Amino acid sequence: MYQEFTPEVLVLPTPKDVDRYAAGCVIAQINGKHDSVLTLPTGATPQGMYERLVQLFKQGQVDFSRVTTFNLDEYFPIPESHPASYAEYMKTHFFRHVNVPSSNIYLPNGQAESAHTEATRFDRLIQQRGPVDLAVLGIGPGKTCHIGFNERGSQVDSRTRYMPLDPQTREANAVFFKDPNEMPVGSITQGIRNILEAQRILLIAKGERKAWGIKRSLTCKPSSDVPASFLRFHPDVCFILDEGAAELLRSKYIALKK
Ligand code: F6R
């Protein structure tokens, strides 16, 4: 049996406020512990957070030279150099602009021969270099409510593995591929257990299209039908939402503290 906790829920006026607040949390983590280990997301939602982190780095407000990063997931199979790979996303939005040493950057290898062997290798690395101090997550579109690419049906004790993508995920993410037929049908993702092993978790969500998933994640009984609901088994989670993503929550909490 898992103990259930109430996440902190922060509702901010605009998407930009979400970017700034989330970046501020990441910086506070690193400035408090220079050799922090982070789990990082990709997708549309965190782009503004990365932009802000790069800006703060250029202003000298943070030093990433001792930081280690693990990405949540990568498409499989996909060449690393594919413009829509998460390896390429991370270089474009973050790693090319800051000083995380390349030897401290870990993503699942989307072009490995065997997804299973690669997932096992990646999982072992997280366990060797962990525990993760801070995991930043987005939430999947529509009814998926995925975290990482833990689609519906994922178990609370799942670890890094191959995961076929939900049709709703494929539809939502097709926009990132010039030719939607090039979109892989699968991924390698950290499991729910990997995510829950982080010391602290931030989930960021923006816009009304995430409102249903946010409401379900915060209110339904934690279950593999709503993978993000498993976050309620962690004692230190903060949902950072804009007004759109929070619109179905009965009461809007502003800076609600535990
Ligand atoms: C990506 C990831 C996914 C995304 C989710 C939301 O690394 O882990 O869980 O966070 O699919 O994606 P966007 O932000 O594009 O709506």
Side-chain angles (χ1 to χ4, degrees), residues 40-46 71-73 86 137-141 146-149 169 173 176 209-210:
L40 295 176
T42 54
T45 310
N71 267 77
L72 278 162
D73 42 23
Y86 285 165
L137 317 175
I139 184 168
H146 66 221
I147 45 175
F149 275 139
T169 302
N173 287 17
F176 298 110
R209 75 191 184 100
K210 297 293 173 73

Side-chain angles (χ1 to χ4, degrees), residues 94-220:
F94 193 47
F95 294 137
R96 271 196 199 115
H97 314 286
V98 298
N99 65 339
V100 183
S102 54
S103 55
N104 287 4
I105 294 172
Y106 298 98
L107 280 105
N109 178 3
Q111 55 191 28
E113 239 167 68
S114 149
H116 175 72
T117 309
E118 173 56 13
T120 308
R121 181 192 74 88
F122 191 77
D123 205 83
R124 200 169 300 137
L125 279 169
I126 302 177
Q127 290 184 63
Q128 281 165 1
R129 300 293 302 262
V132 169
D133 296 291
L134 179 68
V136 184
L137 317 175
I139 184 168
K143 294 205 157 64
T144 66
C145 298
H146 66 221
I147 45 175
F149 275 139
N150 292 281
E151 302 286 17
R152 283 172 291 178
S154 294
Q155 301 297 315
V156 68
D157 58 356
S158 54
R159 302 203 67 94
T160 311
R161 68 207 185 287
Y162 175 78
M163 171 62 52
L165 297 172
D166 187 292
Q168 285 188 48
T169 302
R170 297 195 65 218
E171 195 187 322
N173 287 17
V175 296
F176 298 110
F177 288 78
K178 246 195 197 144
D179 174 2
N181 295 321
E182 275 184 18
M183 188 174 174
V185 294
S187 65
I188 295 177
T189 183
Q190 291 193 33
I192 304 278
R193 169 98 342 248
N194 299 99
I195 292 170
L196 293 180
E197 279 172 359
Q199 308 283 350
R200 176 163 162 72
I201 300 173
L202 303 180
L203 183 143
I204 55 177
K206 303 172 187 172
E208 285 136 41
R209 75 191 184 100
K210 297 293 173 73
W212 187 89
I214 290 296
K215 181 177 177 181
R216 293 273 289 160
S217 306
L218 287 168
T219 57
C220 77

